[in-house]
Structure formats: structure tokens, C-alpha cells
Amino acid sequence: QVQLVESGGGLVETGGSLRLSCATSGITFSSHSMGWWRQAPGKEREFVASISGPGGVSYLSGAVRDRFAISRDNAINTVYLQMDSLQLEDTAVYFCAVGDRLPVVTEATSYISWGQGTQVTVSS
């Protein structure tokens, strides 16, 4: 049974930081890329970041790449999203997801499992 448990969401002022964590079980963690996606109110789900299985390669969307960083700790089957310089437009539900292959992937159809989502709200 694949399980993804997210934590770290919350309310933060513009310019602030949050670190999201996603603890996984039920998968061979290091064999899969991991991703973060988000969905803002009234919008479609949007790709945020992906990291390869070993952790050597990462890819972030243009909207966040100067401010966010994705990392993983394969010893504890956990992936992180460090979010700095948060802006109002970063407000969304953030989802952790398991890729269908080891390399980074950016299409929603390439993800095989999804977490429940955690709310990030940025206020002015």
C-alpha cells in the first residue's frame, strides 16, 4: 500500500519561508523520481518540481526555480520542498507525488501515486 504523508504547510507572510515534507512508504523510494505539484483556487494542477531517484538531478518550474528547492533523503524515504521568498501567488494546495520512472518527470500522467495535499497560504 503506497502512502504519502505530507506536512509543513501553513500560513506565512509574503517573503517568508516554509519547508514541506513528504514521508513515503510502500514503494522502493530510490527507484522513483519524486515531484511536487500545486493547485490554486480556481486553477488547474500545476507542476512545481521534480527530483530524480538518486537525487542528483532536479527540475523546477520557471515560476519557482529562483525561490524553491527540492531535495530528498533516501535513507528515510522522504522528499522536501524548501520554499523561500513566498509570494501571494504561491498560495495553493501542494501535493507530493511518486514518478513512474527514475528520471525527473513533469507531466501529471507520469505520476503513479499522490499525497493528500497540504495547504500553503501566503498573506500580505
Side-chain angles (χ1 to χ4, degrees), residues 84-115:
D84 297 327
S85 301
L86 283 161
Q87 304 169 12
L88 293 176
E89 56 265 36
D90 296 317
T91 295
V93 177
Y94 283 72
F95 299 90
C96 176
V98 180
D100 65 354
R101 66 197 74 177
L102 186 146
V104 296
V105 287
T106 60
E107 298 295 328
T109 53
S110 296
Y111 288 86
I112 57 176
S113 297
W114 298 80

Short mmCIF file of all heavy atoms in Angstrom, two decimals, residues 84-115:
data_model
loop_
_atom_site.label_atom_id
_atom_site.label_comp_id
_atom_site.label_asym_id
_atom_site.label_seq_id
_atom_site.Cartn_x
_atom_site.Cartn_y
_atom_site.Cartn_z
N ASP A 84 11.18 29.57 -0.26
CA ASP A 84 11.65 30.86 0.25
C ASP A 84 11.03 31.98 -0.55
O ASP A 84 10.54 31.79 -1.66
CB ASP A 84 13.18 30.95 0.16
CG ASP A 84 13.90 29.93 1.02
OD1 ASP A 84 13.38 29.57 2.10
OD2 ASP A 84 15.00 29.49 0.61
N SER A 85 11.08 33.18 0.01
CA SER A 85 10.56 34.38 -0.64
C SER A 85 9.14 34.16 -1.15
O SER A 85 8.80 34.49 -2.29
CB SER A 85 11.48 34.81 -1.79
OG SER A 85 12.78 35.08 -1.31
N LEU A 86 8.30 33.62 -0.31
CA LEU A 86 6.95 33.26 -0.72
C LEU A 86 6.15 34.48 -1.13
O LEU A 86 6.26 35.55 -0.51
CB LEU A 86 6.25 32.50 0.40
CG LEU A 86 6.69 31.04 0.52
CD1 LEU A 86 6.32 30.49 1.89
CD2 LEU A 86 6.06 30.20 -0.58
N GLN A 87 5.35 34.30 -2.15
CA GLN A 87 4.52 35.35 -2.71
C GLN A 87 3.06 34.94 -2.66
O GLN A 87 2.74 33.76 -2.50
CB GLN A 87 4.94 35.64 -4.16
CG GLN A 87 6.40 36.01 -4.32
CD GLN A 87 6.86 36.04 -5.76
OE1 GLN A 87 6.05 36.00 -6.68
NE2 GLN A 87 8.17 36.13 -5.97
N LEU A 88 2.17 35.91 -2.82
CA LEU A 88 0.75 35.63 -2.76
C LEU A 88 0.35 34.56 -3.76
O LEU A 88 -0.50 33.71 -3.45
CB LEU A 88 -0.06 36.90 -3.01
CG LEU A 88 0.03 37.99 -1.95
CD1 LEU A 88 -0.75 39.21 -2.39
CD2 LEU A 88 -0.49 37.49 -0.61
N GLU A 89 0.95 34.57 -4.94
CA GLU A 89 0.59 33.61 -5.98
C GLU A 89 1.05 32.20 -5.68
O GLU A 89 0.71 31.26 -6.41
CB GLU A 89 1.12 34.06 -7.34
CG GLU A 89 2.62 34.30 -7.37
CD GLU A 89 2.99 35.76 -7.15
OE1 GLU A 89 2.30 36.45 -6.37
OE2 GLU A 89 3.97 36.22 -7.78
N ASP A 90 1.83 32.01 -4.63
CA ASP A 90 2.22 30.67 -4.20
C ASP A 90 1.14 29.99 -3.37
O ASP A 90 1.27 28.80 -3.06
CB ASP A 90 3.52 30.71 -3.40
CG ASP A 90 4.70 31.19 -4.22
OD1 ASP A 90 4.84 30.76 -5.39
OD2 ASP A 90 5.50 32.00 -3.70
N THR A 91 0.11 30.71 -3.00
CA THR A 91 -0.98 30.13 -2.24
C THR A 91 -1.64 29.01 -3.04
O THR A 91 -2.09 29.22 -4.17
CB THR A 91 -2.01 31.19 -1.87
OG1 THR A 91 -1.42 32.14 -0.99
CG2 THR A 91 -3.22 30.57 -1.19
N ALA A 92 -1.69 27.82 -2.47
CA ALA A 92 -2.22 26.65 -3.16
C ALA A 92 -2.20 25.47 -2.22
O ALA A 92 -1.58 25.50 -1.15
CB ALA A 92 -1.39 26.33 -4.41
N VAL A 93 -2.88 24.41 -2.64
CA VAL A 93 -2.70 23.11 -2.03
C VAL A 93 -1.53 22.44 -2.73
O VAL A 93 -1.51 22.33 -3.96
CB VAL A 93 -3.96 22.25 -2.13
CG1 VAL A 93 -3.72 20.86 -1.54
CG2 VAL A 93 -5.13 22.93 -1.42
N TYR A 94 -0.55 22.00 -1.96
CA TYR A 94 0.65 21.38 -2.51
C TYR A 94 0.57 19.86 -2.34
O TYR A 94 0.29 19.37 -1.25
CB TYR A 94 1.90 21.93 -1.82
CG TYR A 94 2.27 23.30 -2.31
CD1 TYR A 94 1.51 24.42 -1.98
CD2 TYR A 94 3.39 23.49 -3.13
CE1 TYR A 94 1.84 25.68 -2.44
CE2 TYR A 94 3.72 24.76 -3.59
CZ TYR A 94 2.95 25.85 -3.25
OH TYR A 94 3.28 27.10 -3.71
N PHE A 95 0.85 19.15 -3.43
CA PHE A 95 0.76 17.70 -3.46
C PHE A 95 2.13 17.08 -3.70
O PHE A 95 2.85 17.50 -4.61
CB PHE A 95 -0.19 17.23 -4.57
CG PHE A 95 -1.59 17.71 -4.43
CD1 PHE A 95 -2.01 18.90 -5.00
CD2 PHE A 95 -2.52 16.96 -3.73
CE1 PHE A 95 -3.31 19.34 -4.89
CE2 PHE A 95 -3.84 17.38 -3.61
CZ PHE A 95 -4.23 18.57 -4.18
N CYS A 96 2.46 16.09 -2.93
CA CYS A 96 3.60 15.23 -3.17
C CYS A 96 3.17 14.08 -4.07
O CYS A 96 2.04 13.58 -3.94
CB CYS A 96 4.13 14.71 -1.84
SG CYS A 96 5.47 13.54 -1.92
N ALA A 97 4.04 13.65 -4.98
CA ALA A 97 3.67 12.59 -5.91
C ALA A 97 4.87 11.73 -6.27
O ALA A 97 6.02 12.19 -6.24
CB ALA A 97 3.07 13.20 -7.18
N VAL A 98 4.59 10.47 -6.63
CA VAL A 98 5.60 9.49 -6.99
C VAL A 98 5.66 9.36 -8.50
O VAL A 98 4.64 9.09 -9.14
CB VAL A 98 5.28 8.12 -6.37
CG1 VAL A 98 6.35 7.09 -6.75
CG2 VAL A 98 5.15 8.22 -4.86
N GLY A 99 6.83 9.56 -9.08
CA GLY A 99 7.01 9.40 -10.51
C GLY A 99 7.01 7.94 -10.93
O GLY A 99 7.24 7.04 -10.12
N ASP A 100 6.75 7.71 -12.21
CA ASP A 100 6.69 6.36 -12.74
C ASP A 100 8.03 5.85 -13.22
O ASP A 100 8.11 4.74 -13.75
CB ASP A 100 5.65 6.25 -13.86
CG ASP A 100 6.00 7.07 -15.09
OD1 ASP A 100 6.99 7.82 -15.08
OD2 ASP A 100 5.26 6.96 -16.10
N ARG A 101 9.10 6.64 -13.04
CA ARG A 101 10.42 6.28 -13.51
C ARG A 101 11.47 6.98 -12.67
O ARG A 101 11.15 7.89 -11.89
CB ARG A 101 10.58 6.62 -14.99
CG ARG A 101 10.54 8.12 -15.28
CD ARG A 101 10.28 8.42 -16.73
NE ARG A 101 8.89 8.16 -17.08
CZ ARG A 101 8.38 8.38 -18.27
NH1 ARG A 101 9.15 8.84 -19.26
NH2 ARG A 101 7.10 8.13 -18.50
N LEU A 102 12.70 6.60 -12.84
CA LEU A 102 13.77 7.20 -12.04
C LEU A 102 14.08 8.65 -12.42
O LEU A 102 14.31 9.48 -11.53
CB LEU A 102 15.03 6.32 -12.14
CG LEU A 102 16.22 6.69 -11.27
CD1 LEU A 102 16.95 5.43 -10.83
CD2 LEU A 102 17.19 7.60 -12.03
N PRO A 103 14.12 9.01 -13.71
CA PRO A 103 14.43 10.40 -14.07
C PRO A 103 13.32 11.36 -13.71
O PRO A 103 12.18 10.98 -13.43
CB PRO A 103 14.62 10.33 -15.59
CG PRO A 103 14.84 8.89 -15.91
CD PRO A 103 14.01 8.15 -14.92
N VAL A 104 13.64 12.64 -13.74
CA VAL A 104 12.65 13.67 -13.47
C VAL A 104 11.54 13.59 -14.52
O VAL A 104 11.77 13.26 -15.68
CB VAL A 104 13.27 15.07 -13.46
CG1 VAL A 104 14.28 15.19 -12.33
CG2 VAL A 104 13.93 15.41 -14.79
N VAL A 105 10.33 13.89 -14.09
CA VAL A 105 9.17 13.91 -14.98
C VAL A 105 8.34 15.13 -14.64
O VAL A 105 8.27 15.55 -13.48
CB VAL A 105 8.32 12.63 -14.89
CG1 VAL A 105 9.03 11.47 -15.56
CG2 VAL A 105 8.00 12.29 -13.45
N THR A 106 7.68 15.69 -15.65
CA THR A 106 6.95 16.94 -15.48
C THR A 106 5.49 16.86 -15.88
O THR A 106 4.78 17.85 -15.76
CB THR A 106 7.62 18.06 -16.28
OG1 THR A 106 7.64 17.72 -17.68
CG2 THR A 106 9.05 18.29 -15.82
N GLU A 107 5.04 15.71 -16.35
CA GLU A 107 3.65 15.55 -16.77
C GLU A 107 2.88 14.79 -15.70
O GLU A 107 3.36 13.80 -15.15
CB GLU A 107 3.56 14.80 -18.09
CG GLU A 107 4.23 15.52 -19.25
CD GLU A 107 3.56 16.82 -19.60
OE1 GLU A 107 2.33 16.91 -19.43
OE2 GLU A 107 4.26 17.76 -20.03
N ALA A 108 1.66 15.24 -15.44
CA ALA A 108 0.85 14.62 -14.40
C ALA A 108 0.59 13.15 -14.67
O ALA A 108 0.49 12.35 -13.74
CB ALA A 108 -0.48 15.37 -14.25
N THR A 109 0.51 12.78 -15.95
CA THR A 109 0.25 11.39 -16.31
C THR A 109 1.42 10.48 -16.02
O THR A 109 1.28 9.26 -16.09
CB THR A 109 -0.14 11.28 -17.79
OG1 THR A 109 0.86 11.91 -18.59
CG2 THR A 109 -1.49 11.94 -18.05
N SER A 110 2.58 11.04 -15.71
CA SER A 110 3.77 10.26 -15.38
C SER A 110 3.90 9.98 -13.89
O SER A 110 4.91 9.43 -13.46
CB SER A 110 5.03 10.96 -15.88
OG SER A 110 5.03 11.07 -17.30
N TYR A 111 2.92 10.36 -13.12
CA TYR A 111 2.92 10.13 -11.68
C TYR A 111 1.91 9.05 -11.32
O TYR A 111 0.79 9.05 -11.82
CB TYR A 111 2.64 11.42 -10.92
CG TYR A 111 3.80 12.38 -10.99
CD1 TYR A 111 3.96 13.25 -12.06
CD2 TYR A 111 4.77 12.39 -9.99
CE1 TYR A 111 5.04 14.11 -12.14
CE2 TYR A 111 5.85 13.25 -10.06
CZ TYR A 111 5.99 14.11 -11.14
OH TYR A 111 7.06 14.96 -11.20
N ILE A 112 2.31 8.14 -10.45
CA ILE A 112 1.50 6.97 -10.16
C ILE A 112 0.82 7.02 -8.80
O ILE A 112 -0.13 6.27 -8.56
CB ILE A 112 2.35 5.69 -10.26
CG1 ILE A 112 3.56 5.75 -9.34
CG2 ILE A 112 2.78 5.47 -11.72
CD1 ILE A 112 4.38 4.47 -9.31
N SER A 113 1.29 7.85 -7.90
CA SER A 113 0.68 7.99 -6.58
C SER A 113 0.75 9.44 -6.16
O SER A 113 1.72 10.13 -6.45
CB SER A 113 1.37 7.11 -5.53
OG SER A 113 1.25 5.74 -5.85
N TRP A 114 -0.26 9.87 -5.43
CA TRP A 114 -0.37 11.25 -4.98
C TRP A 114 -0.70 11.32 -3.51
O TRP A 114 -1.46 10.49 -2.98
CB TRP A 114 -1.47 11.99 -5.77
CG TRP A 114 -1.20 12.08 -7.23
CD1 TRP A 114 -1.39 11.11 -8.17
CD2 TRP A 114 -0.67 13.21 -7.93
NE1 TRP A 114 -1.02 11.57 -9.42
CE2 TRP A 114 -0.57 12.85 -9.30
CE3 TRP A 114 -0.28 14.48 -7.54
CZ2 TRP A 114 -0.09 13.73 -10.27
CZ3 TRP A 114 0.20 15.36 -8.50
CH2 TRP A 114 0.28 14.98 -9.85
N GLY A 115 -0.15 12.31 -2.84
CA GLY A 115 -0.50 12.55 -1.46
C GLY A 115 -1.82 13.27 -1.33
O GLY A 115 -2.49 13.60 -2.31
#
